[in-house]
Amino acid sequence: MTDAWVLPALPVAGFVLLLLFSPWLPRKGDWLAIALMGTAFGLVFPIANDVRDAIGRGGFHGVGVSRDWLNVQGYIDIRMGTWVDQITLVMLFVVTLITLLVMIYSTGYMRGDRRYGWFYAIVSLFAASMLTLVLADNLLLLYFAWELVGLCSMLLIGYYNDKQSAAEAAKKAFVTTRIGDVGLLIGIIILFTQTHTFNIQQILHMAEAGDIPRQWLTAAAVLMFAGACGKSAQFPLHVWLPDAMEGPTPVSALIHAATMVVAGVYLLARMLPLMEVVRGMPELITAIGLTTTMIAAFAGLAQRDIKRVVAYSTLNSLGLMFVALGSGMLYLFTHAFFKALLFLGCGSVIHATGEQEVDKLGGLWNKMPITAPMFLIGALAMAGLVPFSGYWAKDEILVGVYNGHLSHIVLITVLISLPVTAIYMARLVMLTFFGTVKDPHVHEHAHESEPAMSWPLILLGALALVGGFLAFDGVGKALGFHSGWMGFVYNLAEGPEKFHVNWGLAVGSVVLVVSGLGFGAWMWSGDAEPSKRAAAFSPFFYRLFYNRFYIDEVYQFAIDRIVLAAGRVVAVFDRAVVNDSGVNGTGELTSFFGWIGKYQQTGKIPNYALAIVVGIVVIAAVAFGYRG
């Protein structure tokens, strides 16, 4: 645990080497990036063994290693270092594994790309930034990594920068998340001014002890939550995520599965003790999470781009993580597997057919015998069908909401989202792999992807299928966790959290999911005639869902009519008052007086002599007159 800093150092080294030497390395250095990330993944296991042994000895709450960074005696002392506990370990495992699989997958998907080495360099830097973020023991280092993650995501989303849509999507992601990032920065500054430290554990201890004034603590919590909403694409800052599909598909898997989008969830999980002591904060987080979940669930019903549908399923999942943050780590863990599986499955379909509009796909099950069943596993896990991993994780969220002190409306809303999610996942599978062939040319040229792309799908499919069983104590103990997975992750002061099944919720959720899957399969089977009739019957709701509740249009209207209008007023004031009057006016006034003064200088000596004589006479007359 004390040497955990090595994990981000490895991909940093990969980034530097590829940046400098990739044009001269064999295969542009992809093997180097994969080897370093594989090493980082392998080093997670010794750290896990350390954590497991420490928990077995009892009294483990995390291990930190820090060194002086800025020390002004008697004024400021800032230390930088790492902090390893159960939450950190879960994130380390997920980030390194998904990044490794994405890198391997990209050897097939990105082959022949003109900037192949640059792609692996930025992915390496992205992984290093995320690993630094989850290991940081202080908010200053966390914010540095937070911003670096945002920069890398912008570069990856806009990777095809010769396409206007990709450039605009990258700009949109950067600007939208920047709004939340400003809030996070201000929140960190507030906490520092009140605690005189950036150390996360010290800040949490002071918050729980009541040593931070209530008004400043509330302001800091709300502002940090704004930062989490930006990175994890929560309403109203969720609009960047669907457009992020303009990046290469492996980038979509990396951003949406395990890295950038869960940074906000991780931040709230890390700062949860602080959030819990702020009155109304849990309710605010829940309300935003529910809103995001429902918007994403209904918008996903009408999207035509295969990647965009999966992107809305990510928004759906992130909203659920926000709703039940205290019991959402299992969902974060399993979500990484089935969401990466879905995105890489999308990439396999796009690579094989050259199309990503579901209206042009169909009948690919026999053409893609590996991708199709793996994609189905990911879809069923996302829908929450038993026994796939998503079921056990969602069950834990339902139990957490049911046993919590939240309104029953929260539980009912989450239950409503289950069949809606199942419907649009069934729609995606039916339109892509079953039903009639929409475009014979596309179907004719479809083929299964090469092994470099297929094997990561198979591994992720296995994890998406069985990963949820970690929730059972017996499975966790068999894998070496002394108190099972739940006891390992939730090693709370009052004792480890035990997984248990609420049979009413369990049966109810299965019925809802099965109903949704059955309804979706019926609606989009064959020629999808029932769905066409439904769209014709209610075109308003179809357009509402397809246009994502017109939230982007509202933002664009506000920008065009309010923000830009205010900008024009400011521009006029800047030009007329500040520039023309304040800056140029001063110079022009000086020039005017100089222009007047130039007529007092003729350059002729007789004139100057006459002026001297006249001056002497005038002075003498005045002087004699004064004396008289």
Side-chain angles (χ1 to χ4, degrees), residues 175-510:
V175 172
T176 306
T177 56
R178 174 66 45 196
I179 297 172
D181 293 352
V182 171
L184 174 60
L185 178 60
I186 297 174
I188 291 173
I189 293 172
I190 289 174
L191 289 176
F192 178 75
T193 59
Q194 299 302 310
T195 63
H196 305 291
T197 182
F198 288 108
N199 185 273
I200 294 174
Q201 301 306 315
Q202 294 180 23
I203 291 173
L204 295 180
H205 176 74
M206 294 179 69
E208 292 178 310
D211 295 335
I212 304 176
R214 181 65 56 182
Q215 66 273 19
W216 291 117
L217 187 63
T218 302
V222 172
L223 290 167
M224 295 184 77
F225 176 60
C229 287
K231 273 290 188 289
S232 288
Q234 296 297 290
F235 177 85
L237 301 179
H238 67 286
V239 293
W240 67 268
L241 194 64
D243 292 331
M245 298 299 99
E246 292 293 335
T249 301
V251 169
S252 302
L254 194 63
I255 291 176
H256 294 74
T259 50
M260 179 175 172
V261 291
V262 296
V265 179
Y266 169 79
L267 176 65
L268 292 185
R270 176 60 68 201
M271 305 301 294
L272 189 59
L274 183 148
M275 300 292 172
E276 289 178 333
V277 300
V278 176
R279 181 178 301 176
M281 201 65 211
E283 290 77 10
L284 175 61
I285 296 174
T286 300
I288 294 297
L290 277 179
T291 303
T292 306
T293 297
M294 298 310 295
I295 289 175
F298 286 105
L301 286 171
Q303 302 307 307
R304 297 170 184 169
D305 187 301
I306 185 173
K307 290 171 62 178
R308 198 175 290 272
V309 176
V310 181
Y312 275 102
S313 75
T314 300
L315 287 175
N316 189 335
S317 299
L318 291 169
L320 287 177
M321 293 181 202
F322 273 63
V323 169
L325 193 61
S327 56
M329 286 304 295
L330 179 63
Y331 193 64
L332 186 152
F333 181 75
T334 58
H335 170 264
F337 303 140
F338 61 75
K339 192 52 56 67
L341 174 61
L342 287 172
F343 272 111
L344 295 184
C346 290
S348 184
V349 170
I350 296 169
H351 187 264
T353 64
E355 288 290 343
Q356 57 190 75
E357 294 287 331
V358 292
D359 293 341
K360 298 181 181 179
L361 300 174
L364 295 178
W365 183 271
N366 294 328
K367 287 280 189 173
M368 308 186 74
I370 298 176
T371 299
M374 293 302 104
F375 193 94
L376 179 61
I377 290 174
L380 295 177
M382 175 64 214
L385 183 66
V386 65
F388 299 92
S389 60
Y391 167 77
W392 305 107
K394 283 188 178 181
D395 179 80
E396 186 67 9
I397 289 178
L398 290 172
V399 171
V401 172
Y402 180 78
N403 293 335
H405 302 291
L406 302 174
S407 168
H408 291 301
I409 297 177
V410 176
L411 178 61
I412 294 172
T413 306
V414 173
L415 289 173
I416 291 174
S417 73
L418 297 181
V420 179
T421 303
I423 289 172
Y424 72 71
M425 293 313 298
R427 170 182 177 267
L428 183 60
V429 172
M430 295 300 296
L431 290 177
T432 304
F433 298 103
F434 296 97
T436 58
V437 177
K438 284 85 170 180
D439 190 327
H441 178 73
V442 171
H443 184 267
E444 179 183 355
H445 291 86
H447 57 84
E448 186 53 85
S449 299
E450 59 188 271
M453 299 172 64
S454 299
W455 279 108
L457 293 179
I458 294 172
L459 177 58
L460 289 169
L463 292 171
L465 180 62
V466 304
F469 291 109
L470 276 175
F472 292 96
D473 290 342
V475 175
K477 291 176 180 178
L479 293 175
F481 302 107
H482 298 293
S483 54
W485 163 263
M486 304 300 284
F488 176 79
V489 175
Y490 302 106
N491 187 37
L492 306 177
E494 60 270 20
E497 181 78 13
K498 296 293 183 181
F499 179 82
H500 63 280
V501 177
N502 182 311
W503 289 105
L505 289 176
V507 173
S509 68
V510 170

